Amino acid sequence: MVDKNKYIKYTSEMIPLRHYFHQYPELPNQEIKTTKKIKDILSKWGIKIITTPLNTGVLAEIEGKTSGPIIALRADIDALPVNEKTNLTFKSNNKGVMHACGHDLHMVSLLGAIHYFNEHKDLIKGTIKFLFQPAEETGGGANQVLAKNVLNGVQAIIGFHNNPNLPIGTIALQQGPMMAGCYKFDITIKGRGSHGAKPEKGHDPIITLATIVSSLQTIVSRNIDPQDAVVVSVTHVSAGTVWNVIPNEATLGGTVRLFNLKNTAVVKQHLTEIANNIAKAYEQEVNIIWDERTLPIANDSELTQAVIDNLSIKVNKPILSMAGEDFATYQKKIPGVFAFIGSNGSPTAADWHDPKFVGLDETIPIGIQYFVESALGLLQHLSNK
């Protein structure tokens, strides 16, 4: 087991870097300066940087003194189109862009782990790859990594997300589900407009929209096992621009969140049937777009137990999150373990994607510890198989 006091040195070096990344956030697939900064840091430390086809993001590698399994540690590096409203002395200098999800904490935790492993290669029984992934917020970054074969040969992958609802010093982790799958839907209703005083002359898409919105709520209440967590939310509607004219079209859209993939087909089928049948009843047509943004995160049982057994900090049972994270994309191809690490814990702490989100610097040593001890636990476990 690693002596956790050894992380103090690496934490103190990471805090100024965390402040830099927070001050200069970049949007998904635009992380050019972030990528350069990471490469500069790794080059200064003498870390092997692997050339990849990715436009942004970084892959590095440290080989141990002995051969063995190949694993990957992953941190996301992109920010959000959010205008920061905190009082931090290192708040964003890029107007309208903010690390409102705490990816700056993820980056420096991984950098701290790299720094540690670079000075303790004797502990590594195999090879550790370090992935600084672009474009997590758009749900496409992990797909880019896999499509371009960046992680070929990797046998297991580790990640985490800071959680402002958990106090500093908390790691929450379990076998199985952690975060929900995220799906986006858009429905366009094609009716026939008319004067507002002559509704009989048209086919009103607003009536159809209202009926569809109401009926979508029955998908979960009448088709899903009550013990399964599923959310169907309509988040935007649009119809018409003139006060006395019934429009030709109306649109609505929203999101579906769930943990069990079997429910994906159920929700999609009923959503499609409800929209089409209601439109038909009102002599109209619909166009439906269903977009898979992220899959549910489900931790590998054996690997998760290996991680838990090697962590020198208490592991808590997580509260499942309905938010999505594209780490699940890796888990389709590579067994993986994903945890929550407390980043605030105040009862009034703003949540992810909030302009007032504050992830505390004190998160960093726990992030480093999680990466280091999880990696060593997995390498040992895979070596013994």
Side-chain angles (χ1 to χ4, degrees):
M1 193 69 69
V2 178
D3 180 0
K4 63 182 180 180
N5 292 326
K6 294 181 179 179
Y7 301 122
I8 296 173
K9 167 187 173 182
Y10 306 98
T11 300
S12 62
E13 293 184 24
M14 292 307 107
I15 289 174
L17 291 176
R18 185 271 166 119
H19 293 182
Y20 171 86
F21 287 123
H22 193 89
Q23 284 181 294
Y24 301 101
E26 295 178 294
L27 295 174
N29 293 315
Q30 299 177 31
E31 312 96 331
I32 296 171
K33 292 181 180 179
T34 302
T35 296
K36 182 180 184 304
K37 181 70 171 179
I38 293 170
K39 287 183 175 180
D40 288 346
I41 294 166
L42 297 180
S43 296
K44 179 182 176 182
W45 294 343
I47 305 297
K48 179 181 178 181
I49 298 173
I50 301 172
T51 301
T52 73
L54 297 173
N55 294 325
T56 55
V58 182
L59 183 68
E61 177 183 281
I62 296 179
E63 295 182 10
K65 299 292 185 180
T66 59
S67 61
I70 303 172
I71 66 170
L73 309 184
R74 171 268 200 178
D76 34 17
I77 67 174
D78 56 327
L80 287 155
V82 173
N83 192 36
E84 184 163 359
K85 295 181 180 179
T86 72
N87 294 318
L88 295 175
T89 58
F90 51 92
K91 67 186 297 184
S92 174
N93 286 338
N94 295 342
K95 187 176 181 180
V97 185
M98 177 191 175
H99 271 300
C101 212
H103 294 184
D104 50 333
L105 293 169
H106 305 169
M107 280 188 274
V108 297
S109 294
L110 187 55
L111 284 170
I114 293 172
H115 199 358
Y116 182 92
F117 280 127
N118 196 40
E119 296 183 353
H120 298 83
K121 292 179 183 177
D122 57 304
L123 296 175
I124 303 174
K125 298 178 180 180
T127 300
I128 305 177
K129 295 182 183 290
F130 306 93
L131 173 64
F132 294 86
Q133 179 205 305
E136 186 279 325
E137 294 295 353
T138 59
N143 280 320
Q144 292 179 40
V145 171
L146 291 180
K148 297 181 178 181
N149 301 312
V150 172
L151 294 181
N152 280 5
V154 170
Q155 295 165 258
I157 188 166
I158 298 167
F160 82 84
H161 205 293
N162 78 90
N163 190 328
N165 300 298
L166 298 177
I168 297 297
T170 302
I171 292 181
L173 173 62
Q174 71 174 9
Q175 299 170 344
M178 289 288 295
M179 298 185 76
C182 172
Y183 305 86
K184 177 177 180 287
F185 63 88
D186 288 287
I187 302 173
T188 301
I189 303 161
K190 299 179 180 180
R192 188 171 73 211
S194 66
H195 195 289
K198 294 284 185 177
E200 76 280 6
K201 299 289 187 180
H203 298 298
D204 188 350
I206 296 178
I207 296 295
T208 307
L209 180 151
T211 307
I212 290 174
V213 169
S214 177
S215 298
L216 289 182
Q217 303 312 307
T218 66
I219 294 176
V220 175
S221 66
R222 292 298 177 267
N223 299 282
I224 302 296
D225 186 329
Q227 297 184 74
D228 289 352
V230 178
V231 170
V232 177
S233 293
V234 175
T235 57
H236 66 90
V237 297
S238 177
T241 57
V242 182
W243 70 277
N244 61 349
V245 176
I246 294 172
N248 290 309
E249 287 189 357
T251 62
L252 67 133
T255 186
V256 173
R257 307 295 171 110
L258 49 83
F259 294 102
N260 193 325
L261 284 174
K262 73 178 183 181
N263 289 322
T264 306
V266 174
V267 173
K268 184 179 180 181
Q269 176 190 340
H270 284 281
L271 182 146
T272 301
E273 290 177 350
I274 286 171
N276 276 306
N277 290 335
I278 290 174
K280 184 178 180 180
Y282 288 110
E283 300 180 73
Q284 296 165 39
E285 296 179 354
V286 293
N287 180 56
I288 303 169
I289 298 174
W290 177 273
D291 182 18
E292 177 187 286
R293 306 306 293 265
T294 62
L295 292 168
I297 290 179
N299 284 334
D300 181 89
S301 295
E302 280 191 23
L303 299 186
T304 301
Q305 192 59 53
V307 166
I308 292 173
D309 289 344
N310 204 57
L311 285 170
S312 60
I313 186 172
K314 179 185 175 183
V315 175
N316 296 272
K317 185 176 178 62
I319 296 175
L320 302 186
S321 172
M322 276 293 178
E325 225 276 8
D326 75 355
F327 185 85
T329 302
Y330 298 118
Q331 292 177 315
K332 289 193 302 183
K333 303 288 185 181
I334 307 168
V337 181
F338 192 84
F340 292 132
I341 294 180
S343 59
N344 195 306
S346 168
T348 59
D351 217 328
W352 299 316
H353 296 210
D354 191 299
K356 295 183 179 180
F357 170 88
V358 174
L360 300 176
D361 287 341
E362 289 80 1
T363 309
I364 298 169
I366 308 301
I368 296 173
Q369 182 177 359
Y370 168 76
F371 272 136
V372 170
E373 294 182 0
S374 296
L376 295 177
L378 286 196
L379 286 172
Q380 186 64 50
H381 174 77
L382 294 171
S383 295
N384 293 339
K385 291 193 72 174

